[in-house]
Amino acid sequence: MIIKVDENISQENMEKLLKRVEELNLKPHLSYGTEYTIIGLVGDTSVIDVNRVLTIEGVLDVQRVQEPYKRASRKFHPEDTIVKVGNVEIGGNNLVMMAGPCSVENEEQIMTAARIVKKYGATMLRGGVVKPRTSPYAFQGLGMEGIELMKKAKEETGLPIICEVMSISQLHEFGPHVDMIQLGARNMQNFDLLKEVGKTNIPVLLKRGLSATIEEWLMSAEYILAGGNENVVLCERGIRTYETAYRNVLDLNAVPMIKKLTHLPIIVDSAHSTGKYWMVEPLGMAGVAAGADGLMVEVHPEPDKALSDGPQSLKEDVFKHLMENVEKIANVLGKSFKAK
Amino acid sequence: MIIKVDENISQENMEKLLKRVEELNLKPHLSYGTEYTIIGLVGDTSVIDVNRVLTIEGVLDVQRVQEPYKRASRKFHPEDTIVKVGNVEIGGNNLVMMAGPCSVENEEQIMTAARIVKKYGATMLRGGVVKPRTSPYAFQGLGMEGIELMKKAKEETGLPIICEVMSISQLHEFGPHVDMIQLGARNMQNFDLLKEVGKTNIPVLLKRGLSATIEEWLMSAEYILAGGNENVVLCERGIRTYETAYRNVLDLNAVPMIKKLTHLPIIVDSAHSTGKYWMVEPLGMAGVAAGADGLMVEVHPEPDKALSDGPQSLKEDVFKHLMENVEKIANVLGKSFKAK
Amino acid sequence: MIIKVDENISQENMEKLLKRVEELNLKPHLSYGTEYTIIGLVGDTSVIDVNRVLTIEGVLDVQRVQEPYKRASRKFHPEDTIVKVGNVEIGGNNLVMMAGPCSVENEEQIMTAARIVKKYGATMLRGGVVKPRTSPYAFQGLGMEGIELMKKAKEETGLPIICEVMSISQLHEFGPHVDMIQLGARNMQNFDLLKEVGKTNIPVLLKRGLSATIEEWLMSAEYILAGGNENVVLCERGIRTYETAYRNVLDLNAVPMIKKLTHLPIIVDSAHSTGKYWMVEPLGMAGVAAGADGLMVEVHPEPDKALSDGPQSLKEDVFKHLMENVEKIANVLGKSFKAK
Amino acid sequence: MIIKVDENISQENMEKLLKRVEELNLKPHLSYGTEYTIIGLVGDTSVIDVNRVLTIEGVLDVQRVQEPYKRASRKFHPEDTIVKVGNVEIGGNNLVMMAGPCSVENEEQIMTAARIVKKYGATMLRGGVVKPRTSPYAFQGLGMEGIELMKKAKEETGLPIICEVMSISQLHEFGPHVDMIQLGARNMQNFDLLKEVGKTNIPVLLKRGLSATIEEWLMSAEYILAGGNENVVLCERGIRTYETAYRNVLDLNAVPMIKKLTHLPIIVDSAHSTGKYWMVEPLGMAGVAAGADGLMVEVHPEPDKALSDGPQSLKEDVFKHLMENVEKIANVLGKSFKAK
């Protein structure tokens, strides 16, 4: 940690500052410049609250040198983490394809969707039973009834299932029935929920918040890891920008950066980041090419009857085409994946 | 609602589209152009899920003409809403000053802070007992013990108290003891929590999400209003942008825009939007000048000992100066407020 | 174009509005709703200044249905444009690789760089001779001396050359000597320069502005096309967001969207969007996978001696690896490209 | 400047790094940590190109401690700069009101506008004669003919005049005839133009770029100051964000921050940041309350006939109301200003 101090800081404040540093078991190294004095702190600074230092008069700025996360950092865990979800492995040399409808709507819909995604090589089945809806007047999901339908689809296809949970009570209600839970963008900083997830061993897909920084995202992963749950997979799903031509901008810079900073796997959701079905394939292929450990897409037997996210849902033929191309790109990268 | 249709849409899809419109009890008006056909829909379109229309092939775009919120709209409720919090009125011709420490830390700290803010004319006492912290290793708040301290401060000063809640269980735990609850930026779209708040009658301060649009913010207010709780006050607290010179950008455009779109009061938090104590006064004054119904600021007896948000907390003399200036600006706008 | 009118508009203003519409040779279609009246305008609305309509009292909003650009629109030019630069074709089924140093520094540097990029299959040589530098104290480029060196490199390698111009005088000075000019992000809306480029026939690479929308970008292309120069190639180079982990966010959503909206080719610059050499390859591969017509990357014989953009410049071995992977991805997409 | 180095950096690279530091006449202070080594550099680091250091293998990050601008910095010029424009002083304890139409359209329009703004106390007359228009099909301004009309308006009212220039040739053409030139948001980083302005002594209003950081803005001011022209006034005019409810977000955080970092005056344009006439007054008042040295607003005798920016132009009565309120807010801040 670097502390930038005004050259005219009072002796009293300088002493206060150095005393505070000492209390934190850190060793200060001072460099006196013509305009500023710089104090370099050496030791474990990850737990320091920057604000505690910033409030001393004469302190102009505090910059971290060390990442504020530890368990999520590749520094302390150089090898890739591989998360096991049923018989599926996420991370390492594997490519995982999570596909299925945005929302579980009824038995026929989910069973048909499950058969389609299985047919072309998907490795996991997704399907929401609760939906974070901007409008209180929109379809809100089937709840536990939807979980039962997902289990039925799993029974037939053998695909592990992943469902979103939005609250602690849903975590406890749905958690024991699914193979993986998803924490949505709006809950990335629902810290009470993160802590509770940390107490379980359920594999979790942690979506990036709508305008979360990479660091905030990894800090949220740290919350879960710090609780003892190491089965964390990250999911890039687009960030909010000024651009209005599409819903979000898929941030593929995040893929190599995440690979550099952390050992956790990352998958790419090319549906929510675009909002349009014809953008899902090119951006899905781009995600795999950028090095993602998998994709999440939405498949619906009849998108124009979907109760949610119809415009970004893929029909059978579009999904088939995507899967064939994903296989080819995976081959280029030396990853094991087979569309059927 | 306006539907933009490709001139080459198939007859089958056009019929499907018009049938779907009919089912929604809306009347379509068609304008045939050279490149596009435009369908204007008249009737109550606030409950339509845009996506249901967008998925029909040949439909290029759907644009709302009507706001998707009803209860929050000034259109249906032209006069200003005045929210009563104890003996304090928020909205209309009043100016409310909410002040106090970021976090309740101990009895001496909160009692001293309460006396300071009372002394210079604050009308409400703020103080957090749970904190949404980015890091799992940071101070997390005193919980119910803090609530007891806030009640003690209220008893002595007579100031109504406002505390943040982050979950449904905290809502039920803290709600009966406080005069107003605060929903933080990270919970603006915690829809389950919004619904639960809607079932109560507790006045609520709804902070704008870190990168929430005006429309999303009003939709979140709509969730609470739709549940039956009409005591909603909005709070602008800065938005996330590319600028790194300060933590957030206080969006004062929001003040006149919110006044135009909704009848709900809006107050301005000039502390979180800037992160620096010396910016709180100029931006607080700017907020009042822009027409806000009040301010929220952080006051701490000794900011450099604060366990959270020290750098943006005001000392006694800075707070006094702010209050005197706020009184003068309030006078310019014909609002009733007296610093003491 | 859709005009949203207050139901309580005065008769006088409604007449004024309809008269103004008439003067523009547009036919209005009125839909009277319960809260708003909607006027659909049919005809060529691309030249209407929205503001002229918005200022009439009672007009609440004006929304375009038609794109404001014509010559750049795929609607009026369905087949892909192929831009010829020397013996290189950009667009259609081709993949172009533009590579070379950020800045031309001296003869040895540019000749070595040119040989490297030629060796592994690059199809064009890039090299800046003027640089838009944020700081007045930074290296500003060799100017015409650099152009002479680029020509020398072209002579030896046979690669067509592309150089940036930042002003009208540079356009006239450098233009006759290069095969393609580049307009940088900061000049995307230098309208006088765009108009002047429009009067020439020099192929132009138009970079997207730092925070330009897709529509603004295409409007800038329209400026050049409207002047008569049809040799326009677009270049996505990252947009500004709140994220600080990298310099910009490469917006690959733009690739399929640009392909949908316009017939002009698009290439991807994966160097400026990331700022780090180890991100250039994964994002370059992602760009090709998303459907771009080519890549622009920076290659320098000794990046750590580069006078500009060293951290994002590729060494020979990294460039070789990139080219081999680009060839494989190009094959997946059925595009003709060969790394040597 | 702080250099963050990998603990495992090779001895060879460490030596290369230290040698490069030495060549720059900087003294390195090393702090060896458990995971990183930190090197603090003391001396004049403002001219260092960060990239030259970053390219050495083992160097992980470089952070500036010192601002990269010198002449614009308050550090080296603590007292406020006061820029004289004719008989008007900008900065210090003065409040300047620049008002007039967006574009000069014809003699009657500009003379009427000039009389209105003079009548209610404006201290400068604005009026564009060239316009940066997104669309090649929109009104582009009267050019030199407009300058003549501005001079006529100046003759009658005595108000100094300010006009935008977009290129070096316009600078030389219009410069000698106006009292102040304006560099628009799109030209904030037109570095060739900045350099040329730096060679003159014409007072210049430098608008902040559409998504320029505070630091980039001050670096552009530095370009002009470095050339020898010290008459630089900054103008905040709104930044681009994700919000679509208004055109831009007026960033009033910039006002106290600019006052902290630089000695140059800052004025606020509350018209372009909002795009709507009814937002101009509340945000103009907010700008003055935040500490701005003046405002720029658009006044048009008949906004609904304006050839540009009609929706954000003020009619006579709205302008009168604004000026009366600005006077009151100025009084609160102890600034000298009188609406008449």
Side-chain angles (χ1 to χ4, degrees):
Chain A
M1 185 169 281
I2 300 298
I3 307 178
K4 175 180 171 185
V5 178
D6 194 309
E7 52 173 340
N8 301 316
I9 189 172
S10 70
Q11 202 185 322
E12 189 197 334
N13 280 322
M14 189 54 147
E15 278 163 16
K16 191 195 279 186
L17 176 58
L18 291 175
K19 204 178 140 212
R20 194 158 293 180
V21 164
E22 223 167 78
E23 289 166 8
L24 294 161
N25 289 319
L26 299 171
K27 258 197 298 189
H29 292 246
L30 280 77
S31 317
Y32 295 97
T34 46
E35 302 156 29
Y36 304 112
T37 298
I38 297 168
I39 305 178
L41 297 191
V42 165
D44 179 9
T45 58
S46 70
V47 297
I48 299 185
D49 187 340
V50 169
N51 284 339
R52 302 288 315 271
V53 178
L54 259 179
T55 42
I56 296 175
E57 213 166 320
V59 173
L60 298 172
D61 199 14
V62 176
Q63 298 178 332
R64 285 190 178 283
V65 171
Q66 201 185 4
E67 296 82 14
Y69 44 87
K70 274 193 116 71
R71 288 171 181 81
S73 172
R74 195 178 274 279
K75 188 101 194 160
F76 304 102
H77 188 312
E79 68 286 4
D80 283 352
T81 282
I82 293 180
V83 174
K84 283 186 190 145
V85 180
N87 55 345
V88 172
E89 296 194 334
I90 309 180
N93 206 37
N94 307 289
L95 195 82
V96 65
M97 284 296 305
M98 307 176 177
C102 172
S103 299
V104 180
E105 295 168 13
N106 56 58
E107 184 166 346
E108 196 196 324
Q109 173 247 18
I110 185 64
M111 295 307 288
T112 313
R115 283 168 205 138
I116 292 171
V117 305
K118 169 79 174 176
K119 184 170 170 190
Y120 300 106
T123 37
M124 286 184 63
L125 177 66
R126 58 149 292 150
V129 305
V130 289
K131 303 302 302 173
R133 301 304 293 262
T134 315
S135 166
Y137 311 120
F139 175 65
Q140 311 262 336
L142 290 185
M144 200 56 207
E145 188 192 335
I147 294 287
E148 293 302 335
L149 296 176
M150 285 293 282
K151 287 170 75 175
K152 209 161 185 172
K154 174 186 176 179
E155 214 173 310
E156 184 182 316
T157 60
L159 297 176
I161 56 178
I162 172 170
C163 297
E164 179 167 357
V165 304
M166 289 162 57
S167 65
I168 292 175
S169 64
Q170 288 168 7
L171 169 66
H172 295 307
E173 195 183 358
F174 306 158
H177 300 281
V178 300
D179 299 288
M180 187 176 211
I181 58 163
Q182 173 182 315
L183 295 183
R186 286 176 186 77
N187 280 309
M188 192 201 84
Q189 293 196 318
N190 186 334
F191 299 115
D192 281 358
L193 181 53
L194 295 178
K195 280 186 218 166
E196 202 71 13
V197 170
K199 294 180 194 157
T200 75
N201 269 315
I202 311 173
V204 53
L205 187 72
L206 179 65
K207 289 204 160 185
R208 182 180 187 181
L210 202 54
S211 60
T213 61
I214 296 282
E215 186 173 304
E216 289 169 340
W217 192 13
L218 290 177
M219 287 307 287
S220 288
E222 185 84 1
Y223 256 93
I224 300 172
L225 296 168
N229 184 347
E230 299 186 348
N231 302 306
V232 179
V233 177
L234 302 165
C235 178
E236 161 62 32
R237 44 76 73 205
I239 59 171
R240 179 161 281 183
T241 75
Y242 65 84
E243 179 61 69
T244 54
Y246 13 82
R247 196 157 56 174
N248 299 298
V249 168
L250 186 67
D251 174 13
L252 290 182
N253 286 24
V255 175
M257 183 53 84
I258 282 289
K259 288 283 171 203
K260 186 94 169 180
L261 296 175
T262 184
H263 49 90
L264 301 171
I266 177 170
I267 76 152
V268 163
D269 173 345
S270 65
H272 284 85
S273 48
T274 59
K276 294 171 201 288
Y277 77 90
W278 51 270
M279 293 176 80
V280 172
E281 179 175 308
L283 288 162
M285 290 168 67
V288 177
D293 297 300
L295 294 185
M296 173 176 265
V297 299
E298 295 184 354
V299 173
H300 196 286
E302 295 172 285
D304 75 358
K305 290 191 181 153
L307 294 179
S308 55
D309 281 351
Q312 72 199 34
S313 296
L314 309 184
K315 294 184 204 175
E316 181 167 350
D317 57 339
V318 182
F319 181 64
K320 175 175 187 288
H321 196 265
L322 165 66
M323 293 298 271
E324 290 165 354
N325 272 318
V326 163
E327 183 183 323
K328 290 178 198 160
I329 302 272
N331 286 344
V332 172
L333 278 89
K335 292 208 173 169
S336 61
F337 176 76
K338 269 208 95 58
K340 285 167 201 171
Chain B
M1 186 169 282
I2 300 298
I3 306 176
K4 176 180 168 184
V5 179
D6 195 309
E7 53 173 339
N8 301 318
I9 190 173
S10 70
Q11 203 184 323
E12 188 198 335
N13 279 321
M14 189 54 146
E15 275 163 17
K16 191 197 279 189
L17 175 60
L18 292 175
K19 202 177 143 214
R20 193 159 294 181
V21 164
E22 222 168 77
E23 288 165 9
L24 293 161
N25 287 318
L26 298 171
K27 259 197 298 187
H29 292 247
L30 280 76
S31 318
Y32 294 97
T34 45
E35 301 156 29
Y36 303 112
T37 298
I38 298 167
I39 306 180
L41 296 191
V42 165
D44 179 11
T45 59
S46 68
V47 298
I48 299 185
D49 188 341
V50 168
N51 284 340
R52 303 289 315 271
V53 177
L54 260 178
T55 41
I56 296 174
E57 212 167 322
V59 173
L60 298 173
D61 198 13
V62 176
Q63 299 177 330
R64 284 192 178 282
V65 170
Q66 202 185 3
E67 296 80 14
Y69 44 86
K70 273 194 117 74
R71 288 170 181 82
S73 171
R74 196 178 272 281
K75 187 102 193 160
F76 303 103
H77 187 310
E79 68 287 0
D80 283 352
T81 281
I82 292 179
V83 173
K84 282 186 191 147
V85 180
N87 55 345
V88 172
E89 296 194 332
I90 308 180
N93 206 38
N94 307 289
L95 194 82
V96 65
M97 283 296 305
M98 306 175 177
C102 173
S103 298
V104 181
E105 295 168 12
N106 57 58
E107 182 166 347
E108 198 197 322
Q109 173 246 19
I110 184 64
M111 295 307 289
T112 313
R115 284 170 205 137
I116 292 172
V117 306
K118 169 78 175 179
K119 185 170 167 190
Y120 300 107
T123 36
M124 286 182 65
L125 178 66
R126 62 149 289 149
V129 304
V130 289
K131 303 305 301 174
R133 300 303 293 264
T134 315
S135 166
Y137 311 121
F139 175 66
Q140 310 263 338
L142 291 186
M144 199 58 205
E145 189 193 332
I147 294 286
E148 293 303 334
L149 295 175
M150 284 294 280
K151 285 170 76 174
K152 209 160 182 174
K154 174 186 177 179
E155 214 174 308
E156 185 184 312
T157 59
L159 297 176
I161 55 178
I162 171 169
C163 297
E164 179 165 357
V165 304
M166 288 163 59
S167 64
I168 292 174
S169 63
Q170 289 169 4
L171 170 67
H172 294 308
E173 195 183 359
F174 306 158
H177 301 281
V178 300
D179 299 289
M180 188 174 211
I181 57 164
Q182 174 182 316
L183 296 182
R186 285 176 185 77
N187 279 309
M188 194 201 84
Q189 293 195 318
N190 186 333
F191 298 116
D192 281 357
L193 181 53
L194 295 178
K195 280 187 217 164
E196 202 71 13
V197 170
K199 293 180 195 158
T200 75
N201 268 315
I202 310 173
V204 55
L205 187 72
L206 180 65
K207 288 204 161 185
R208 183 180 184 180
L210 204 54
S211 61
T213 61
I214 296 282
E215 187 173 301
E216 288 169 341
W217 193 12
L218 290 177
M219 287 309 285
S220 288
E222 186 85 0
Y223 256 94
I224 301 173
L225 295 169
N229 185 347
E230 298 187 347
N231 302 307
V232 179
V233 177
L234 302 166
C235 179
E236 161 63 30
R237 44 76 73 204
I239 60 172
R240 180 160 279 184
T241 74
Y242 64 85
E243 178 60 68
T244 54
Y246 12 81
R247 196 156 54 176
N248 299 298
V249 169
L250 185 66
D251 174 11
L252 291 183
N253 285 24
V255 176
M257 184 52 86
I258 283 288
K259 288 283 169 201
K260 186 94 169 181
L261 296 175
T262 182
H263 49 89
L264 300 171
I266 177 170
I267 77 152
V268 163
D269 174 344
S270 64
H272 284 85
S273 47
T274 60
K276 294 170 200 290
Y277 76 90
W278 51 269
M279 293 177 79
V280 173
E281 180 175 305
L283 288 163
M285 289 169 66
V288 177
D293 297 301
L295 294 184
M296 173 176 266
V297 298
E298 294 184 355
V299 173
H300 196 287
E302 295 173 283
D304 74 359
K305 292 193 180 149
L307 294 178
S308 57
D309 281 351
Q312 73 200 33
S313 296
L314 309 184
K315 293 184 204 174
E316 182 168 349
D317 57 339
V318 181
F319 180 63
K320 176 175 184 286
H321 196 265
L322 165 66
M323 293 299 271
E324 290 166 354
N325 272 318
V326 163
E327 183 184 322
K328 289 179 199 160
I329 302 272
N331 285 344
V332 172
L333 279 89
K335 292 206 174 169
S336 60
F337 177 75
K338 268 206 97 56
K340 282 169 203 169
Chain C
M1 184 170 283
I2 299 298
I3 307 176
K4 177 180 169 184
V5 179
D6 194 310
E7 53 173 339
N8 300 317
I9 190 173
S10 70
Q11 203 185 321
E12 187 197 336
N13 279 320
M14 190 53 148
E15 277 164 15
K16 190 195 280 188
L17 175 59
L18 293 175
K19 204 177 141 215
R20 194 158 294 181
V21 165
E22 223 168 78
E23 290 165 7
L24 294 161
N25 287 320
L26 300 170
K27 258 199 297 187
H29 292 246
L30 280 76
S31 316
Y32 294 96
T34 45
E35 301 156 30
Y36 303 110
T37 298
I38 297 168
I39 306 179
L41 296 193
V42 166
D44 179 10
T45 60
S46 69
V47 296
I48 298 185
D49 187 340
V50 168
N51 284 338
R52 304 287 315 270
V53 177
L54 260 178
T55 41
I56 297 175
E57 213 168 320
V59 173
L60 299 172
D61 199 14
V62 176
Q63 298 176 331
R64 286 192 177 282
V65 170
Q66 201 185 3
E67 296 81 13
Y69 44 86
K70 273 197 119 69
R71 287 171 181 81
S73 172
R74 197 178 271 281
K75 188 101 193 161
F76 304 101
H77 186 311
E79 70 285 3
D80 284 352
T81 282
I82 292 181
V83 174
K84 280 184 194 149
V85 181
N87 56 345
V88 172
E89 295 195 334
I90 309 179
N93 206 37
N94 307 289
L95 195 80
V96 64
M97 282 297 303
M98 305 175 180
C102 173
S103 299
V104 180
E105 295 168 13
N106 56 58
E107 182 165 346
E108 196 196 326
Q109 173 247 19
I110 184 65
M111 295 308 289
T112 313
R115 284 169 205 138
I116 293 172
V117 306
K118 169 78 174 177
K119 184 170 170 192
Y120 300 106
T123 36
M124 285 182 65
L125 177 66
R126 60 148 288 147
V129 303
V130 289
K131 303 303 301 173
R133 301 303 294 264
T134 314
S135 166
Y137 312 120
F139 175 66
Q140 311 263 339
L142 291 186
M144 200 56 206
E145 188 193 333
I147 294 287
E148 293 303 334
L149 296 175
M150 285 293 282
K151 286 169 77 174
K152 208 159 184 176
K154 174 185 176 178
E155 216 174 308
E156 183 182 315
T157 59
L159 297 176
I161 55 177
I162 171 169
C163 297
E164 179 166 358
V165 304
M166 290 163 58
S167 64
I168 292 175
S169 63
Q170 289 169 5
L171 170 66
H172 294 309
E173 195 183 356
F174 306 158
H177 302 279
V178 299
D179 298 289
M180 186 175 211
I181 58 164
Q182 174 182 316
L183 295 182
R186 286 176 185 78
N187 280 308
M188 193 201 84
Q189 294 195 319
N190 186 335
F191 298 117
D192 281 357
L193 181 53
L194 297 178
K195 279 186 218 166
E196 202 71 13
V197 170
K199 294 180 195 157
T200 74
N201 268 316
I202 310 173
V204 54
L205 187 71
L206 179 65
K207 288 204 160 185
R208 183 181 184 180
L210 202 54
S211 60
T213 62
I214 296 282
E215 187 174 302
E216 289 169 339
W217 193 12
L218 290 178
M219 286 308 286
S220 288
E222 185 84 3
Y223 257 93
I224 301 173
L225 296 169
N229 185 347
E230 298 187 347
N231 301 307
V232 179
V233 177
L234 302 165
C235 178
E236 161 63 30
R237 43 79 71 206
I239 59 171
R240 180 159 278 184
T241 74
Y242 64 86
E243 179 61 68
T244 54
Y246 12 82
R247 196 157 55 174
N248 298 298
V249 169
L250 185 65
D251 174 12
L252 290 182
N253 286 25
V255 176
M257 184 53 84
I258 283 289
K259 288 281 171 204
K260 186 92 168 182
L261 296 175
T262 183
H263 50 90
L264 300 171
I266 178 170
I267 77 153
V268 163
D269 173 345
S270 65
H272 284 86
S273 48
T274 59
K276 294 170 200 290
Y277 76 90
W278 50 270
M279 294 176 79
V280 172
E281 179 173 307
L283 289 163
M285 289 169 67
V288 177
D293 297 300
L295 294 184
M296 173 177 265
V297 299
E298 294 184 354
V299 172
H300 195 287
E302 295 172 283
D304 75 358
K305 291 193 181 151
L307 295 179
S308 57
D309 281 352
Q312 73 199 32
S313 295
L314 308 184
K315 292 183 207 177
E316 180 166 349
D317 58 338
V318 182
F319 180 64
K320 175 174 187 284
H321 197 265
L322 165 66
M323 293 299 272
E324 290 166 355
N325 272 318
V326 163
E327 182 183 323
K328 290 179 197 158
I329 302 271
N331 286 345
V332 172
L333 278 89
K335 292 206 174 169
S336 60
F337 176 76
K338 268 207 96 57
K340 286 168 202 171
Chain D
M1 185 170 281
I2 299 299
I3 307 177
K4 176 180 170 184
V5 179
D6 196 309
E7 52 173 341
N8 301 319
I9 189 172
S10 70
Q11 203 185 321
E12 187 197 336
N13 280 322
M14 189 55 147
E15 277 163 16
K16 189 195 282 188
L17 175 59
L18 292 176
K19 202 178 140 212
R20 193 159 295 182
V21 164
E22 224 168 77
E23 289 164 8
L24 293 162
N25 288 318
L26 299 172
K27 259 197 298 188
H29 293 245
L30 280 77
S31 317
Y32 295 97
T34 45
E35 301 156 29
Y36 303 111
T37 298
I38 298 168
I39 305 178
L41 297 192
V42 165
D44 179 11
T45 58
S46 69
V47 297
I48 300 184
D49 187 341
V50 169
N51 285 339
R52 303 287 315 271
V53 178
L54 260 178
T55 42
I56 297 175
E57 214 168 318
V59 173
L60 299 172
D61 199 13
V62 176
Q63 297 178 333
R64 285 193 177 280
V65 171
Q66 202 186 2
E67 296 82 13
Y69 44 86
K70 273 194 117 72
R71 289 171 179 82
S73 170
R74 195 179 274 281
K75 188 100 194 160
F76 304 101
H77 187 313
E79 68 286 2
D80 284 352
T81 282
I82 293 181
V83 174
K84 281 185 192 147
V85 181
N87 56 344
V88 172
E89 295 194 334
I90 309 180
N93 206 37
N94 307 289
L95 195 82
V96 64
M97 284 296 306
M98 304 175 178
C102 174
S103 299
V104 180
E105 295 168 13
N106 56 57
E107 183 166 346
E108 195 194 326
Q109 173 247 19
I110 185 62
M111 295 307 288
T112 313
R115 284 169 204 139
I116 291 172
V117 305
K118 168 78 173 177
K119 183 169 169 191
Y120 299 106
T123 35
M124 284 182 66
L125 178 66
R126 60 149 289 148
V129 304
V130 289
K131 303 302 304 172
R133 302 302 294 263
T134 316
S135 166
Y137 312 120
F139 175 66
Q140 311 262 341
L142 292 186
M144 200 56 206
E145 186 192 335
I147 294 287
E148 294 301 333
L149 295 177
M150 285 294 280
K151 285 170 77 173
K152 207 161 186 174
K154 175 187 175 178
E155 213 174 309
E156 183 183 314
T157 59
L159 297 176
I161 56 177
I162 172 171
C163 297
E164 179 167 358
V165 304
M166 291 163 57
S167 65
I168 292 176
S169 63
Q170 289 167 7
L171 170 66
H172 295 309
E173 194 183 359
F174 306 159
H177 300 281
V178 300
D179 298 288
M180 187 175 210
I181 57 163
Q182 174 183 315
L183 295 183
R186 285 177 185 77
N187 280 307
M188 194 200 83
Q189 294 195 318
N190 186 332
F191 298 115
D192 281 357
L193 181 53
L194 296 178
K195 279 186 219 166
E196 201 71 13
V197 170
K199 294 180 195 159
T200 75
N201 269 315
I202 311 174
V204 54
L205 187 72
L206 180 65
K207 289 203 160 186
R208 183 181 185 179
L210 204 53
S211 61
T213 63
I214 296 283
E215 188 173 301
E216 289 168 338
W217 194 10
L218 290 178
M219 287 307 287
S220 288
E222 186 84 0
Y223 257 94
I224 300 173
L225 295 169
N229 185 347
E230 299 187 347
N231 302 306
V232 179
V233 177
L234 302 165
C235 178
E236 160 62 32
R237 45 74 75 204
I239 59 172
R240 180 161 279 184
T241 75
Y242 64 85
E243 179 61 69
T244 53
Y246 12 82
R247 196 157 53 174
N248 298 299
V249 169
L250 185 65
D251 174 11
L252 290 183
N253 285 24
V255 176
M257 184 53 85
I258 282 289
K259 288 283 170 201
K260 187 93 168 180
L261 297 175
T262 184
H263 50 89
L264 301 172
I266 178 170
I267 77 153
V268 163
D269 174 344
S270 65
H272 284 85
S273 48
T274 58
K276 294 171 200 288
Y277 77 89
W278 51 269
M279 293 176 79
V280 172
E281 180 174 307
L283 288 162
M285 290 169 66
V288 177
D293 297 301
L295 294 184
M296 174 177 263
V297 298
E298 293 184 354
V299 173
H300 196 286
E302 295 173 283
D304 75 358
K305 290 191 180 153
L307 294 179
S308 57
D309 281 351
Q312 73 200 31
S313 296
L314 309 184
K315 293 183 204 175
E316 182 168 348
D317 57 339
V318 181
F319 180 63
K320 176 175 186 288
H321 196 266
L322 165 66
M323 292 298 271
E324 289 165 356
N325 272 318
V326 164
E327 183 184 322
K328 289 180 198 159
I329 302 271
N331 286 344
V332 171
L333 278 90
K335 292 207 173 167
S336 61
F337 177 75
K338 269 206 95 58
K340 286 167 199 170

